[in-house]
């Protein structure tokens, strides 16, 4: 039966967050649920182009309040750097009156909100709307970092040493400790910027006040972490399934189709770092030299967090001297957005070196691309360990404990393991696991079951007083 629910979607303003909210919207919309999607004006056209086009659905632009430090002509459609991100969080908090007015006009049954929107539950409660957090982070990342057991004294920040080990009660999995550079990166979550609560405190605040939390995962992949979260959260926990991205529409751009078509099947290494992850110049040097060392064809995408502004100059300045000339017959280096799913689906692509973004990894698995991970921040470090250590579907690039440095030989080694040494371990098992997980992710019945169940649980939540 068609659902009569009306849900407001309110993701964080970066595409790594907007995309999973759109994907969930479309799945819920196919059950007749009405979607109103909040975002910034610069994102509206792109959301409209992906959101199911039904008379019920709408994208509502929010006005960005004047915010000290945030340029008055800030365009949310370009990359959001960490600095702009913190200013945008200030702007987000100032949007409370406008969000309250919109919600009281729309009167949805539920609002699905993201990690930074800790004030949504109190507004929603006043208006009789259910407030549900939709976590776009994996269960492994949530359970290692953002659960009450992570901190025993709310007035004390954890140290690097604290963050190197899992919180008390954490399940016994391949994750027993993290490297120093990774733990140092996790500190970001506990810092306060511009006088706002830290990311960790925001999450702790809405865990207490929201009506439920939806995780973008399934028990088949992450059951130990999901079970642990259940002991920590104390709120209804709903699962949206593995969130395999829908097949892409249209065709791959002619120039890339032609370029990839020159190479044998499964020979090309595709290398891309998602929508909000940028390597520094030292990493780019080692990565490019490592790709050169493999002797294989490669397609490398590098971005710099500045949108299209000056990106080409930054790219040229970051490459090793003479690199373009040396690799011109077998390598391309590109800056800007590419049709990742089309590229991964191309028969010439056999390896995907990536940053362990959850959707990106799954796109690699369903497309027969062997996976090598060089995670850069936060949740990516935990995804990378879970996919390589628990599921054993790929390999992590070796990194130095203190600062995460990797050399060109480390890149070569990881790629050889999954692409060349496939008759010996661990490459042999990784290929086998990859192919088993591919079958799982492509099983439509599993996905359908999760979404049908989620719809039922959301309806039940709305019925509750
Ligand atoms: C929750 C947040 O997700 C994040 O964003 P990210 O973009 O990396 O997400 P992915 O899951 O890789 O997803 C990225 C999505 O963008 C698509 N794409 C990307 C680049 C491109 O050039 N072309 C494309 O089509 C890609 O196909 C995938 O669907 C980060 O990990 C972050 O750590 C995490 O907090």
């Amino acid at each position: 039966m068609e659902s009569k629910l009306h849900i407001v979607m309110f993701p964080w303003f970066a595409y790594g967050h907007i995309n999973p909210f759109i994907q969930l919207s479309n799945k819920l919309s196919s059950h007749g649920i009405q979607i109103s999607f909040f975002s910034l004006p610069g994102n509206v056209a792109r959301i409209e182009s992906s959101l199911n086009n039904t008379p019920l659905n709408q994208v509502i632009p929010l006005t960005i309040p004047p915010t000290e430090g945030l340029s008055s002509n800030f365009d949310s459609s370009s990359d959001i750097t960490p600095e702009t991100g913190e200013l945008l969080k200030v702007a987000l908090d100032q949007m409370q009156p406008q969000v309250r007015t919109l919600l009281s006009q729309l009167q949805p049954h539920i609002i699905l909100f993201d990690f930074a929107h800790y004030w949504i539950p109190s507004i929603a409660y006043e208006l009789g709307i259910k407030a549900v957090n939709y976590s776009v982070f994996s269960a492994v990342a949530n359970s290692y970092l953002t659960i009450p057991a992570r901190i025993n004294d709310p007035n004390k920040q954890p140290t690097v040493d604290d963050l190197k080990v899992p919180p008390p009660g954490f399940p016994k999995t391949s994750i027993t400790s993290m490297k120093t550079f990774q733990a140092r990166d996790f500190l970001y979550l506990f810092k306060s910027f511009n006088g706002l609560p830290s990311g960790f405190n925001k999450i702790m605040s809405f865990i207490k006040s929201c009506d439920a939390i939806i995780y973008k995962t399934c028990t088949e992949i992450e059951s130990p972490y999901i079970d642990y979260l259940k002991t920590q959260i104390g709120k209804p926990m709903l699962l949206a399934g593995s969130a395999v991205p829908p097949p892409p529409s249209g065709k791959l751009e002619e120039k890339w189709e032609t370029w990839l078509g020159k190479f044998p099947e499964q020979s090309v290494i595709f290398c891309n770092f998602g929508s909000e992850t940028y390597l520094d110049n030292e990493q780019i040097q080692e990565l490019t030299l490592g790709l050169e060392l493999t002797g294989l064809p490669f397609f490398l995408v590098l971005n710099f967090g500045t949108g299209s502004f000056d990106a080409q100059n930054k790219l040229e300045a970051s490459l090793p001297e003479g690199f373009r000339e040396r690799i011109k017959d077998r390598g391309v280096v590109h800056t800007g957005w590419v049709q990742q799913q089309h590229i991964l689906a191309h028969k010439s692509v056999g390896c995907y070196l990536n940053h362990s973004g959850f959707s990106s990894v799954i796109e690699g698995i369903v497309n027969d691309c062997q996976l090598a991970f060089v995670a850069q921040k936060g949740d990516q470090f935990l995804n990378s360990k879970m996919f390589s250590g628990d599921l054993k579907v790929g390999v992590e690039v070796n990194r130095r404990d203190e600062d995460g440095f990797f050399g060109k030989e480390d890149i070569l080694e990881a790629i050889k393991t999954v692409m060349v040494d496939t008759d010996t371990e661990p490459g042999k098992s990784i290929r086998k696991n990859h192919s088993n997980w591919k079958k799982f992710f492509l099983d439509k019945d599993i996905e359908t079951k999760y979404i049908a169940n989620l719809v039922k649980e959301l309806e039940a939540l709305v019925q509750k007083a």
Side-chain angles (χ1 to χ4, degrees):
M1 206 184 74
E2 294 260 295
S3 173
K4 295 276 178 291
L5 292 185
H6 177 191
I7 299 184
V8 164
M9 295 284 177
F10 193 6
W12 174 236
F13 305 122
Y15 284 107
H17 291 248
I18 293 172
N19 284 343
F21 271 76
I22 296 178
Q23 282 164 18
L24 181 61
S25 297
N26 288 342
K27 286 175 189 161
L28 296 176
S29 164
S30 68
H31 283 257
I33 292 180
Q34 177 183 359
I35 303 293
S36 297
F37 206 105
F38 289 1
S39 198
L40 297 181
N43 296 332
V44 170
R46 187 149 155 199
I47 297 168
E48 280 176 345
S49 71
S50 320
L51 191 65
N52 275 1
N53 186 5
T54 78
L56 290 177
N57 295 347
Q58 58 181 333
V59 186
I60 300 178
L62 301 171
T63 308
I64 310 176
T67 306
E68 205 184 320
L70 192 65
S71 141
S72 57
N73 58 4
F74 167 75
D75 176 10
S76 48
S77 63
S78 44
D79 300 338
I80 296 174
T81 59
E83 297 73 32
T84 318
E86 291 311 326
L87 292 170
L88 260 186
K89 285 177 193 154
V90 176
L92 172 71
D93 281 9
Q94 288 169 5
M95 288 177 187
Q96 292 183 52
Q98 115 177 242
V99 169
R100 183 194 303 268
T101 307
L102 272 172
L103 289 177
S104 61
Q105 287 161 356
L106 292 166
Q107 281 297 319
H109 299 96
I110 301 174
I111 175 163
L112 252 60
F113 64 94
D114 210 333
F115 73 102
H117 309 45
Y118 62 106
W119 39 266
I120 286 287
S122 66
I123 294 183
Y125 182 75
E126 274 173 43
L127 299 171
I129 299 165
K130 299 290 181 195
V132 178
N133 170 242
Y134 178 37
S135 177
V136 301
F137 305 108
S138 53
V140 60
N142 276 297
S143 57
Y144 191 92
L145 290 169
T146 50
I147 34 100
R150 178 42 83 188
I151 281 196
N152 43 30
D153 178 353
N155 299 315
K156 233 179 93 202
Q157 284 206 2
T159 63
V160 170
D161 282 342
D162 294 336
L163 293 171
K164 278 167 83 168
V165 290
F170 191 77
K172 296 213 174 333
T173 65
S174 70
I175 302 177
T176 50
S177 66
M178 300 300 287
K179 295 197 168 183
T180 307
F181 79 97
Q182 297 169 329
R184 197 175 296 118
D185 176 86
F186 294 153
L187 284 177
Y188 184 80
L189 191 60
F190 300 87
K191 286 204 177 106
S192 154
F193 293 91
N194 301 312
L196 301 182
S198 67
F200 180 83
N201 284 341
K202 285 179 183 172
I203 294 173
M204 290 309 106
S205 155
F206 71 64
I207 281 180
K208 282 201 196 108
S209 54
C210 71
D211 292 289
I213 301 185
I214 303 177
Y215 292 97
K216 185 177 81 105
T217 190
C218 57
T219 47
E220 289 84 346
I221 320 178
E222 292 200 281
S223 74
Y225 308 110
I226 293 169
D227 289 345
Y228 177 57
L229 283 172
K230 280 188 190 143
T231 67
Q232 284 287 317
I233 300 300
K235 279 285 151 76
M237 273 178 52
L238 320 180
L239 301 179
S242 62
V244 178
S249 56
K251 287 201 321 204
L252 177 59
E253 221 183 309
E254 179 84 35
K255 74 170 175 185
W256 298 135
E257 179 65 49
T258 311
W259 188 83
L260 287 168
K262 292 194 302 191
F263 300 102
E265 271 188 31
Q266 303 217 331
S267 65
V268 178
I269 306 162
F270 175 60
C271 196
N272 195 3
F273 299 95
S275 64
E276 47 189 275
T277 298
Y278 318 109
L279 272 61
D280 64 29
N281 280 3
E282 184 184 44
Q283 292 179 316
I284 293 175
Q285 291 277 322
E286 296 299 325
L287 170 65
T288 44
L289 294 173
L291 290 171
E292 188 178 353
L293 272 183
T294 65
L296 294 166
F298 63 87
F299 185 149
L300 169 62
V301 183
L302 292 169
N303 290 305
F304 298 88
T306 51
S308 55
F309 176 74
D310 214 22
Q312 197 62 43
N313 289 339
K314 284 199 158 73
L315 174 65
E316 297 313 323
S318 70
L319 297 176
E321 224 179 302
F323 181 72
R324 281 223 190 252
E325 182 54 29
R326 295 199 299 277
I327 54 89
K328 67 178 188 307
D329 296 329
R330 66 176 171 94
V332 280
V333 190
H334 173 82
T335 186
W337 193 256
V338 293
Q339 294 159 286
Q340 174 165 304
Q341 282 182 269
H342 284 94
I343 293 171
L344 290 171
H346 196 285
K347 62 179 185 338
S348 299
V349 177
C351 179
Y352 177 28
L353 177 64
N354 65 81
H355 61 305
S356 308
F358 206 74
S359 306
S360 290
V361 174
I362 293 174
E363 288 168 18
I365 296 177
V366 298
N367 279 307
D368 276 337
C369 299
Q370 299 307 312
L371 300 166
F373 307 121
V374 59
Q376 296 295 307
K377 58 181 176 180
D379 57 323
Q380 299 171 2
F381 295 130
L382 291 148
N383 297 345
S384 166
K385 282 191 89 102
M386 190 266 288
F387 281 115
S388 63
D390 295 353
L391 269 50
K392 300 189 168 59
V393 286
V395 65
E396 288 190 290
V397 170
N398 188 35
R399 314 281 288 270
R400 194 155 65 198
D401 177 76
E402 177 56 26
D403 58 2
F405 175 85
F406 57 84
K408 54 184 188 290
E409 291 82 9
D410 298 310
I411 296 287
L412 172 67
E413 188 58 39
I415 288 181
K416 265 180 68 197
T417 303
V418 290
M419 270 193 101
V420 183
D421 303 336
T422 52
D423 290 332
T424 51
E425 294 298 350
K428 196 170 164 190
S429 302
I430 289 175
R431 279 210 171 222
K432 192 158 161 266
N433 296 334
H434 189 295
S435 132
N436 289 340
W437 279 104
K438 177 182 174 179
K439 282 191 209 110
F440 168 78
F441 284 122
L442 290 179
D443 186 336
K444 281 272 153 257
D445 290 347
I446 298 177
E447 183 81 11
T448 309
K449 187 190 80 190
Y450 271 99
I451 293 298
N453 202 33
L454 177 63
V455 171
K456 270 200 213 127
E457 293 191 278
L458 289 173
E459 285 170 338
L461 188 73
V462 167
Q463 298 307 323
K464 264 207 222 152

